[in-house]
PDB file of all heavy atoms in Angstrom:
ATOM      1  N   PHE A   3      39.416 102.730 192.814  1.00  0.00           N
ATOM      2  CA  PHE A   3      38.712 102.365 191.583  1.00  0.00           C
ATOM      3  C   PHE A   3      37.678 103.437 191.292  1.00  0.00           C
ATOM      4  O   PHE A   3      36.906 103.834 192.174  1.00  0.00           O
ATOM      5  CB  PHE A   3      38.034 100.993 191.692  1.00  0.00           C
ATOM      6  CG  PHE A   3      37.428 100.559 190.385  1.00  0.00           C
ATOM      7  CD1 PHE A   3      38.245 100.273 189.298  1.00  0.00           C
ATOM      8  CD2 PHE A   3      36.060 100.462 190.224  1.00  0.00           C
ATOM      9  CE1 PHE A   3      37.705  99.892 188.076  1.00  0.00           C
ATOM     10  CE2 PHE A   3      35.509 100.079 189.013  1.00  0.00           C
ATOM     11  CZ  PHE A   3      36.335  99.789 187.935  1.00  0.00           C
ATOM     12  N   VAL A   4      37.695 103.917 190.053  1.00  0.00           N
ATOM     13  CA  VAL A   4      36.807 104.996 189.621  1.00  0.00           C
ATOM     14  C   VAL A   4      35.897 104.459 188.535  1.00  0.00           C
ATOM     15  O   VAL A   4      36.375 103.955 187.511  1.00  0.00           O
ATOM     16  CB  VAL A   4      37.624 106.187 189.074  1.00  0.00           C
ATOM     17  CG1 VAL A   4      36.697 107.325 188.683  1.00  0.00           C
ATOM     18  CG2 VAL A   4      38.649 106.655 190.093  1.00  0.00           C
ATOM     19  N   TYR A   5      34.572 104.527 188.764  1.00  0.00           N
ATOM     20  CA  TYR A   5      33.626 104.087 187.731  1.00  0.00           C
ATOM     21  C   TYR A   5      32.391 104.961 187.740  1.00  0.00           C
ATOM     22  O   TYR A   5      31.753 105.169 188.777  1.00  0.00           O
ATOM     23  CB  TYR A   5      33.206 102.628 187.943  1.00  0.00           C
ATOM     24  CG  TYR A   5      32.131 102.196 186.962  1.00  0.00           C
ATOM     25  CD1 TYR A   5      32.392 102.164 185.593  1.00  0.00           C
ATOM     26  CD2 TYR A   5      30.860 101.861 187.390  1.00  0.00           C
ATOM     27  CE1 TYR A   5      31.415 101.799 184.681  1.00  0.00           C
ATOM     28  CE2 TYR A   5      29.875 101.489 186.487  1.00  0.00           C
ATOM     29  CZ  TYR A   5      30.162 101.459 185.134  1.00  0.00           C
ATOM     30  OH  TYR A   5      29.187 101.102 184.232  1.00  0.00           O
ATOM     31  N   SER A   6      32.083 105.490 186.579  1.00  0.00           N
ATOM     32  CA  SER A   6      30.834 106.222 186.383  1.00  0.00           C
ATOM     33  C   SER A   6      30.479 106.142 184.907  1.00  0.00           C
ATOM     34  O   SER A   6      31.259 106.597 184.053  1.00  0.00           O
ATOM     35  CB  SER A   6      30.967 107.687 186.815  1.00  0.00           C
ATOM     36  OG  SER A   6      29.823 108.428 186.430  1.00  0.00           O
ATOM     37  N   LYS A   7      29.355 105.549 184.604  1.00  0.00           N
ATOM     38  CA  LYS A   7      28.919 105.452 183.212  1.00  0.00           C
ATOM     39  C   LYS A   7      28.645 106.835 182.648  1.00  0.00           C
ATOM     40  O   LYS A   7      28.951 107.125 181.489  1.00  0.00           O
ATOM     41  CB  LYS A   7      27.658 104.588 183.126  1.00  0.00           C
ATOM     42  CG  LYS A   7      27.270 104.196 181.704  1.00  0.00           C
ATOM     43  CD  LYS A   7      26.131 103.204 181.702  1.00  0.00           C
ATOM     44  CE  LYS A   7      25.804 102.757 180.290  1.00  0.00           C
ATOM     45  NZ  LYS A   7      24.682 101.766 180.280  1.00  0.00           N
ATOM     46  N   GLU A   8      28.076 107.708 183.482  1.00  0.00           N
ATOM     47  CA  GLU A   8      27.796 109.070 183.045  1.00  0.00           C
ATOM     48  C   GLU A   8      29.079 109.809 182.687  1.00  0.00           C
ATOM     49  O   GLU A   8      29.132 110.582 181.736  1.00  0.00           O
ATOM     50  CB  GLU A   8      27.047 109.844 184.138  1.00  0.00           C
ATOM     51  CG  GLU A   8      25.594 109.466 184.292  1.00  0.00           C
ATOM     52  CD  GLU A   8      25.391 108.275 185.230  1.00  0.00           C
ATOM     53  OE1 GLU A   8      26.378 107.550 185.487  1.00  0.00           O
ATOM     54  OE2 GLU A   8      24.259 108.070 185.697  1.00  0.00           O
ATOM     55  N   PHE A   9      30.136 109.570 183.463  1.00  0.00           N
ATOM     56  CA  PHE A   9      31.396 110.256 183.224  1.00  0.00           C
ATOM     57  C   PHE A   9      32.269 109.549 182.199  1.00  0.00           C
ATOM     58  O   PHE A   9      33.289 110.086 181.774  1.00  0.00           O
ATOM     59  CB  PHE A   9      32.188 110.370 184.535  1.00  0.00           C
ATOM     60  CG  PHE A   9      31.643 111.381 185.503  1.00  0.00           C
ATOM     61  CD1 PHE A   9      30.451 112.048 185.255  1.00  0.00           C
ATOM     62  CD2 PHE A   9      32.309 111.668 186.670  1.00  0.00           C
ATOM     63  CE1 PHE A   9      29.944 112.968 186.145  1.00  0.00           C
ATOM     64  CE2 PHE A   9      31.816 112.605 187.578  1.00  0.00           C
ATOM     65  CZ  PHE A   9      30.632 113.250 187.312  1.00  0.00           C
ATOM     66  N   GLY A  10      31.892 108.312 181.849  1.00  0.00           N
ATOM     67  CA  GLY A  10      32.722 107.554 180.923  1.00  0.00           C
ATOM     68  C   GLY A  10      34.037 107.118 181.534  1.00  0.00           C
ATOM     69  O   GLY A  10      35.056 107.022 180.854  1.00  0.00           O
ATOM     70  N   LEU A  11      34.031 106.838 182.856  1.00  0.00           N
ATOM     71  CA  LEU A  11      35.258 106.477 183.567  1.00  0.00           C
ATOM     72  C   LEU A  11      35.146 105.074 184.147  1.00  0.00           C
ATOM     73  O   LEU A  11      34.129 104.726 184.746  1.00  0.00           O
ATOM     74  CB  LEU A  11      35.524 107.461 184.702  1.00  0.00           C
ATOM     75  CG  LEU A  11      35.801 108.913 184.316  1.00  0.00           C
ATOM     76  CD1 LEU A  11      35.809 109.790 185.556  1.00  0.00           C
ATOM     77  CD2 LEU A  11      37.117 109.032 183.577  1.00  0.00           C
ATOM     78  N   LYS A  12      36.179 104.289 183.977  1.00  0.00           N
ATOM     79  CA  LYS A  12      36.293 102.988 184.650  1.00  0.00           C
ATOM     80  C   LYS A  12      37.764 102.599 184.655  1.00  0.00           C
ATOM     81  O   LYS A  12      38.294 102.103 183.683  1.00  0.00           O
ATOM     82  CB  LYS A  12      35.413 101.915 184.006  1.00  0.00           C
ATOM     83  CG  LYS A  12      35.532 101.763 182.501  1.00  0.00           C
ATOM     84  CD  LYS A  12      34.589 100.661 182.015  1.00  0.00           C
ATOM     85  CE  LYS A  12      34.664 100.514 180.498  1.00  0.00           C
ATOM     86  NZ  LYS A  12      33.745  99.441 180.026  1.00  0.00           N
ATOM     87  N   THR A  13      38.413 102.846 185.786  1.00  0.00           N
ATOM     88  CA  THR A  13      39.847 102.614 185.850  1.00  0.00           C
ATOM     89  C   THR A  13      40.326 102.506 187.296  1.00  0.00           C
ATOM     90  O   THR A  13      39.690 103.037 188.212  1.00  0.00           O
ATOM     91  CB  THR A  13      40.601 103.751 185.137  1.00  0.00           C
ATOM     92  OG1 THR A  13      41.989 103.452 185.093  1.00  0.00           O
ATOM     93  CG2 THR A  13      40.407 105.081 185.850  1.00  0.00           C
ATOM     94  N   PHE A  14      41.453 101.819 187.476  1.00  0.00           N
ATOM     95  CA  PHE A  14      42.159 101.812 188.749  1.00  0.00           C
ATOM     96  C   PHE A  14      43.177 102.946 188.733  1.00  0.00           C
ATOM     97  O   PHE A  14      43.798 103.222 187.709  1.00  0.00           O
ATOM     98  CB  PHE A  14      42.901 100.489 188.957  1.00  0.00           C
ATOM     99  CG  PHE A  14      42.015  99.327 189.293  1.00  0.00           C
ATOM    100  CD1 PHE A  14      41.529  98.487 188.303  1.00  0.00           C
ATOM    101  CD2 PHE A  14      41.675  99.051 190.615  1.00  0.00           C
ATOM    102  CE1 PHE A  14      40.722  97.405 188.612  1.00  0.00           C
ATOM    103  CE2 PHE A  14      40.869  97.979 190.941  1.00  0.00           C
ATOM    104  CZ  PHE A  14      40.385  97.156 189.937  1.00  0.00           C
ATOM    105  N   THR A  15      43.358 103.590 189.882  1.00  0.00           N
ATOM    106  CA  THR A  15      44.416 104.583 190.022  1.00  0.00           C
ATOM    107  C   THR A  15      45.189 104.278 191.300  1.00  0.00           C
ATOM    108  O   THR A  15      44.775 103.439 192.099  1.00  0.00           O
ATOM    109  CB  THR A  15      43.858 106.023 190.091  1.00  0.00           C
ATOM    110  OG1 THR A  15      43.116 106.188 191.314  1.00  0.00           O
ATOM    111  CG2 THR A  15      42.953 106.318 188.918  1.00  0.00           C
ATOM    112  N   GLY A  16      46.286 104.984 191.503  1.00  0.00           N
ATOM    113  CA  GLY A  16      47.090 104.791 192.694  1.00  0.00           C
ATOM    114  C   GLY A  16      46.471 105.432 193.915  1.00  0.00           C
ATOM    115  O   GLY A  16      45.399 106.049 193.845  1.00  0.00           O
ATOM    116  N   PRO A  17      47.130 105.330 195.069  1.00  0.00           N
ATOM    117  CA  PRO A  17      46.566 105.842 196.334  1.00  0.00           C
ATOM    118  C   PRO A  17      46.386 107.352 196.332  1.00  0.00           C
ATOM    119  O   PRO A  17      45.548 107.886 197.046  1.00  0.00           O
ATOM    120  CB  PRO A  17      47.593 105.407 197.382  1.00  0.00           C
ATOM    121  CG  PRO A  17      48.862 105.235 196.621  1.00  0.00           C
ATOM    122  CD  PRO A  17      48.460 104.738 195.270  1.00  0.00           C
ATOM    123  N   ASN A  18      47.170 108.050 195.528  1.00  0.00           N
ATOM    124  CA  ASN A  18      47.088 109.509 195.472  1.00  0.00           C
ATOM    125  C   ASN A  18      46.416 109.985 194.192  1.00  0.00           C
ATOM    126  O   ASN A  18      46.579 111.127 193.773  1.00  0.00           O
ATOM    127  CB  ASN A  18      48.485 110.122 195.583  1.00  0.00           C
ATOM    128  CG  ASN A  18      49.138 109.780 196.900  1.00  0.00           C
ATOM    129  OD1 ASN A  18      48.510 109.863 197.952  1.00  0.00           O
ATOM    130  ND2 ASN A  18      50.391 109.375 196.857  1.00  0.00           N
ATOM    131  N   GLY A  19      45.651 109.094 193.579  1.00  0.00           N
ATOM    132  CA  GLY A  19      44.940 109.477 192.368  1.00  0.00           C
ATOM    133  C   GLY A  19      45.818 109.366 191.131  1.00  0.00           C
ATOM    134  O   GLY A  19      46.838 108.685 191.117  1.00  0.00           O
ATOM    135  N   MET A  20      45.407 110.050 190.090  1.00  0.00           N
ATOM    136  CA  MET A  20      46.137 110.023 188.836  1.00  0.00           C
ATOM    137  C   MET A  20      47.434 110.825 188.970  1.00  0.00           C
ATOM    138  O   MET A  20      47.532 111.739 189.778  1.00  0.00           O
ATOM    139  CB  MET A  20      45.258 110.588 187.717  1.00  0.00           C
ATOM    140  CG  MET A  20      43.976 109.793 187.520  1.00  0.00           C
ATOM    141  SD  MET A  20      42.875 110.478 186.262  1.00  0.00           S
ATOM    142  CE  MET A  20      43.800 110.131 184.778  1.00  0.00           C
ATOM    143  N   LYS A  21      48.426 110.465 188.180  1.00  0.00           N
ATOM    144  CA  LYS A  21      49.726 111.115 188.265  1.00  0.00           C
ATOM    145  C   LYS A  21      49.690 112.452 187.539  1.00  0.00           C
ATOM    146  O   LYS A  21      49.597 112.508 186.314  1.00  0.00           O
ATOM    147  CB  LYS A  21      50.803 110.202 187.674  1.00  0.00           C
ATOM    148  CG  LYS A  21      51.024 108.922 188.475  1.00  0.00           C
ATOM    149  CD  LYS A  21      52.141 108.073 187.890  1.00  0.00           C
ATOM    150  CE  LYS A  21      52.364 106.822 188.717  1.00  0.00           C
ATOM    151  NZ  LYS A  21      53.443 105.968 188.146  1.00  0.00           N
ATOM    152  N   ILE A  22      49.759 113.511 188.317  1.00  0.00           N
ATOM    153  CA  ILE A  22      49.712 114.864 187.802  1.00  0.00           C
ATOM    154  C   ILE A  22      50.972 115.587 188.273  1.00  0.00           C
ATOM    155  O   ILE A  22      51.411 115.407 189.412  1.00  0.00           O
ATOM    156  CB  ILE A  22      48.460 115.613 188.316  1.00  0.00           C
ATOM    157  CG1 ILE A  22      47.194 114.825 187.975  1.00  0.00           C
ATOM    158  CG2 ILE A  22      48.383 117.027 187.763  1.00  0.00           C
ATOM    159  CD1 ILE A  22      46.968 114.623 186.495  1.00  0.00           C
ATOM    160  N   PRO A  23      51.585 116.421 187.426  1.00  0.00           N
ATOM    161  CA  PRO A  23      52.759 117.180 187.875  1.00  0.00           C
ATOM    162  C   PRO A  23      52.464 117.984 189.139  1.00  0.00           C
ATOM    163  O   PRO A  23      51.381 118.564 189.269  1.00  0.00           O
ATOM    164  CB  PRO A  23      53.047 118.103 186.679  1.00  0.00           C
ATOM    165  CG  PRO A  23      52.456 117.403 185.503  1.00  0.00           C
ATOM    166  CD  PRO A  23      51.245 116.679 186.021  1.00  0.00           C
ATOM    167  N   GLN A  24      53.402 118.008 190.039  1.00  0.00           N
ATOM    168  CA  GLN A  24      53.195 118.678 191.320  1.00  0.00           C
ATOM    169  C   GLN A  24      53.089 120.193 191.203  1.00  0.00           C
ATOM    170  O   GLN A  24      52.700 120.858 192.163  1.00  0.00           O
ATOM    171  CB  GLN A  24      54.328 118.316 192.283  1.00  0.00           C
ATOM    172  CG  GLN A  24      54.251 116.898 192.816  1.00  0.00           C
ATOM    173  CD  GLN A  24      52.964 116.618 193.574  1.00  0.00           C
ATOM    174  OE1 GLN A  24      52.590 117.380 194.470  1.00  0.00           O
ATOM    175  NE2 GLN A  24      52.278 115.545 193.229  1.00  0.00           N
ATOM    176  N   ASP A  25      53.403 120.728 190.041  1.00  0.00           N
ATOM    177  CA  ASP A  25      53.278 122.180 189.858  1.00  0.00           C
ATOM    178  C   ASP A  25      52.010 122.552 189.091  1.00  0.00           C
ATOM    179  O   ASP A  25      51.868 123.669 188.607  1.00  0.00           O
ATOM    180  CB  ASP A  25      54.502 122.736 189.120  1.00  0.00           C
ATOM    181  CG  ASP A  25      54.658 122.156 187.711  1.00  0.00           C
ATOM    182  OD1 ASP A  25      53.908 121.214 187.355  1.00  0.00           O
ATOM    183  OD2 ASP A  25      55.530 122.637 186.968  1.00  0.00           O
ATOM    184  N   SER A  26      51.056 121.590 189.006  1.00  0.00           N
ATOM    185  CA  SER A  26      49.859 121.824 188.203  1.00  0.00           C
ATOM    186  C   SER A  26      48.601 121.283 188.877  1.00  0.00           C
ATOM    187  O   SER A  26      48.674 120.465 189.793  1.00  0.00           O
ATOM    188  CB  SER A  26      50.005 121.158 186.819  1.00  0.00           C
ATOM    189  OG  SER A  26      51.140 121.632 186.139  1.00  0.00           O
ATOM    190  N   ILE A  27      47.454 121.728 188.379  1.00  0.00           N
ATOM    191  CA  ILE A  27      46.139 121.225 188.781  1.00  0.00           C
ATOM    192  C   ILE A  27      45.361 120.925 187.501  1.00  0.00           C
ATOM    193  O   ILE A  27      45.314 121.763 186.596  1.00  0.00           O
ATOM    194  CB  ILE A  27      45.363 122.254 189.621  1.00  0.00           C
ATOM    195  CG1 ILE A  27      46.098 122.550 190.931  1.00  0.00           C
ATOM    196  CG2 ILE A  27      43.949 121.765 189.922  1.00  0.00           C
ATOM    197  CD1 ILE A  27      45.514 123.722 191.688  1.00  0.00           C
ATOM    198  N   TYR A  28      44.771 119.721 187.424  1.00  0.00           N
ATOM    199  CA  TYR A  28      43.962 119.332 186.262  1.00  0.00           C
ATOM    200  C   TYR A  28      42.528 119.079 186.728  1.00  0.00           C
ATOM    201  O   TYR A  28      42.320 118.566 187.834  1.00  0.00           O
ATOM    202  CB  TYR A  28      44.478 118.042 185.621  1.00  0.00           C
ATOM    203  CG  TYR A  28      45.811 118.114 184.918  1.00  0.00           C
ATOM    204  CD1 TYR A  28      46.633 119.240 184.988  1.00  0.00           C
ATOM    205  CD2 TYR A  28      46.261 117.025 184.175  1.00  0.00           C
ATOM    206  CE1 TYR A  28      47.865 119.280 184.352  1.00  0.00           C
ATOM    207  CE2 TYR A  28      47.489 117.054 183.529  1.00  0.00           C
ATOM    208  CZ  TYR A  28      48.287 118.182 183.618  1.00  0.00           C
ATOM    209  OH  TYR A  28      49.498 118.199 182.984  1.00  0.00           O
ATOM    210  N   PHE A  29      41.563 119.396 185.868  1.00  0.00           N
ATOM    211  CA  PHE A  29      40.192 118.986 186.182  1.00  0.00           C
ATOM    212  C   PHE A  29      39.318 118.934 184.928  1.00  0.00           C
ATOM    213  O   PHE A  29      39.626 119.549 183.909  1.00  0.00           O
ATOM    214  CB  PHE A  29      39.562 119.877 187.266  1.00  0.00           C
ATOM    215  CG  PHE A  29      39.343 121.324 186.880  1.00  0.00           C
ATOM    216  CD1 PHE A  29      38.113 121.754 186.385  1.00  0.00           C
ATOM    217  CD2 PHE A  29      40.340 122.256 187.062  1.00  0.00           C
ATOM    218  CE1 PHE A  29      37.912 123.083 186.066  1.00  0.00           C
ATOM    219  CE2 PHE A  29      40.140 123.590 186.749  1.00  0.00           C
ATOM    220  CZ  PHE A  29      38.917 124.012 186.244  1.00  0.00           C
ATOM    221  N   GLN A  30      38.247 118.137 185.022  1.00  0.00           N
ATOM    222  CA  GLN A  30      37.197 118.084 184.017  1.00  0.00           C
ATOM    223  C   GLN A  30      35.886 118.447 184.689  1.00  0.00           C
ATOM    224  O   GLN A  30      35.745 118.329 185.908  1.00  0.00           O
ATOM    225  CB  GLN A  30      37.093 116.675 183.412  1.00  0.00           C
ATOM    226  CG  GLN A  30      38.228 116.316 182.483  1.00  0.00           C
ATOM    227  CD  GLN A  30      38.111 114.886 181.977  1.00  0.00           C
ATOM    228  OE1 GLN A  30      38.705 113.975 182.543  1.00  0.00           O
ATOM    229  NE2 GLN A  30      37.342 114.682 180.926  1.00  0.00           N
ATOM    230  N   VAL A  31      34.921 118.874 183.873  1.00  0.00           N
ATOM    231  CA  VAL A  31      33.674 119.381 184.428  1.00  0.00           C
ATOM    232  C   VAL A  31      32.478 118.623 183.861  1.00  0.00           C
ATOM    233  O   VAL A  31      32.355 118.443 182.639  1.00  0.00           O
ATOM    234  CB  VAL A  31      33.516 120.888 184.148  1.00  0.00           C
ATOM    235  CG1 VAL A  31      32.328 121.447 184.908  1.00  0.00           C
ATOM    236  CG2 VAL A  31      34.771 121.645 184.536  1.00  0.00           C
ATOM    237  N   TYR A  32      31.619 118.159 184.769  1.00  0.00           N
ATOM    238  CA  TYR A  32      30.380 117.466 184.412  1.00  0.00           C
ATOM    239  C   TYR A  32      29.206 118.438 184.544  1.00  0.00           C
ATOM    240  O   TYR A  32      29.086 119.157 185.534  1.00  0.00           O
ATOM    241  CB  TYR A  32      30.170 116.266 185.345  1.00  0.00           C
ATOM    242  CG  TYR A  32      28.887 115.507 185.090  1.00  0.00           C
ATOM    243  CD1 TYR A  32      28.768 114.628 184.025  1.00  0.00           C
ATOM    244  CD2 TYR A  32      27.790 115.667 185.941  1.00  0.00           C
ATOM    245  CE1 TYR A  32      27.605 113.927 183.803  1.00  0.00           C
ATOM    246  CE2 TYR A  32      26.620 114.966 185.723  1.00  0.00           C
ATOM    247  CZ  TYR A  32      26.537 114.102 184.656  1.00  0.00           C
ATOM    248  OH  TYR A  32      25.372 113.412 184.448  1.00  0.00           O
ATOM    249  N   ASN A  33      28.333 118.453 183.531  1.00  0.00           N
ATOM    250  CA  ASN A  33      27.166 119.335 183.538  1.00  0.00           C
ATOM    251  C   ASN A  33      25.983 118.592 184.152  1.00  0.00           C
ATOM    252  O   ASN A  33      25.316 117.798 183.499  1.00  0.00           O
ATOM    253  CB  ASN A  33      26.835 119.785 182.107  1.00  0.00           C
ATOM    254  CG  ASN A  33      25.735 120.831 182.069  1.00  0.00           C
ATOM    255  OD1 ASN A  33      24.936 120.952 182.985  1.00  0.00           O
ATOM    256  ND2 ASN A  33      25.692 121.593 180.987  1.00  0.00           N
ATOM    257  N   GLY A  34      25.745 118.860 185.437  1.00  0.00           N
ATOM    258  CA  GLY A  34      24.631 118.232 186.142  1.00  0.00           C
ATOM    259  C   GLY A  34      23.441 119.156 186.326  1.00  0.00           C
ATOM    260  O   GLY A  34      22.571 118.892 187.164  1.00  0.00           O
ATOM    261  N   LEU A  35      23.381 120.241 185.553  1.00  0.00           N
ATOM    262  CA  LEU A  35      22.285 121.210 185.673  1.00  0.00           C
ATOM    263  C   LEU A  35      21.008 120.658 185.053  1.00  0.00           C
ATOM    264  O   LEU A  35      21.036 120.063 183.974  1.00  0.00           O
ATOM    265  CB  LEU A  35      22.671 122.524 184.999  1.00  0.00           C
ATOM    266  CG  LEU A  35      23.829 123.280 185.653  1.00  0.00           C
ATOM    267  CD1 LEU A  35      24.380 124.321 184.690  1.00  0.00           C
ATOM    268  CD2 LEU A  35      23.381 123.922 186.949  1.00  0.00           C
ATOM    269  N   GLY A  36      19.892 120.863 185.729  1.00  0.00           N
ATOM    270  CA  GLY A  36      18.611 120.404 185.216  1.00  0.00           C
ATOM    271  C   GLY A  36      17.950 121.444 184.320  1.00  0.00           C
ATOM    272  O   GLY A  36      18.277 122.635 184.381  1.00  0.00           O
ATOM    273  N   ALA A  37      17.016 120.990 183.495  1.00  0.00           N
ATOM    274  CA  ALA A  37      16.293 121.909 182.611  1.00  0.00           C
ATOM    275  C   ALA A  37      15.449 122.893 183.400  1.00  0.00           C
ATOM    276  O   ALA A  37      15.133 123.985 182.906  1.00  0.00           O
ATOM    277  CB  ALA A  37      15.425 121.114 181.645  1.00  0.00           C
ATOM    278  N   ASP A  38      15.065 122.527 184.641  1.00  0.00           N
ATOM    279  CA  ASP A  38      14.274 123.442 185.463  1.00  0.00           C
ATOM    280  C   ASP A  38      15.113 124.610 185.972  1.00  0.00           C
ATOM    281  O   ASP A  38      14.570 125.654 186.348  1.00  0.00           O
ATOM    282  CB  ASP A  38      13.649 122.702 186.647  1.00  0.00           C
ATOM    283  CG  ASP A  38      14.663 121.936 187.470  1.00  0.00           C
ATOM    284  OD1 ASP A  38      15.777 121.722 186.968  1.00  0.00           O
ATOM    285  OD2 ASP A  38      14.345 121.548 188.601  1.00  0.00           O
ATOM    286  N   PHE A  39      16.433 124.453 185.971  1.00  0.00           N
ATOM    287  CA  PHE A  39      17.296 125.557 186.380  1.00  0.00           C
ATOM    288  C   PHE A  39      17.455 126.556 185.235  1.00  0.00           C
ATOM    289  O   PHE A  39      17.345 127.777 185.431  1.00  0.00           O
ATOM    290  CB  PHE A  39      18.671 125.034 186.800  1.00  0.00           C
ATOM    291  CG  PHE A  39      19.677 126.117 187.068  1.00  0.00           C
ATOM    292  CD1 PHE A  39      19.640 126.830 188.255  1.00  0.00           C
ATOM    293  CD2 PHE A  39      20.641 126.428 186.128  1.00  0.00           C
ATOM    294  CE1 PHE A  39      20.559 127.846 188.496  1.00  0.00           C
ATOM    295  CE2 PHE A  39      21.566 127.435 186.370  1.00  0.00           C
ATOM    296  CZ  PHE A  39      21.507 128.149 187.551  1.00  0.00           C
TER     297      PHE A  39
END
């Protein structure tokens, strides 16, 4: 189970995560940088 209000995610997935083609890699990026950086 994946839930994060910041990420806008709330869903069940299978034991190996989301179904992605075996010849590919998918990703999304969260900006957690602070203003002090």
Side-chain angles (χ1 to χ4, degrees):
F3 186 67
V4 182
Y5 175 63
S6 171
K7 191 173 183 180
E8 285 86 342
F9 287 6
L11 296 170
K12 50 180 179 180
T13 186
F14 286 93
T15 67
N18 298 315
M20 300 177 70
K21 294 182 179 179
I22 305 299
Q24 287 301 309
D25 62 352
S26 302
I27 297 170
Y28 291 8
F29 65 95
Q30 287 177 265
V31 189
Y32 178 77
N33 187 337
L35 294 163
D38 53 344
F39 173 78

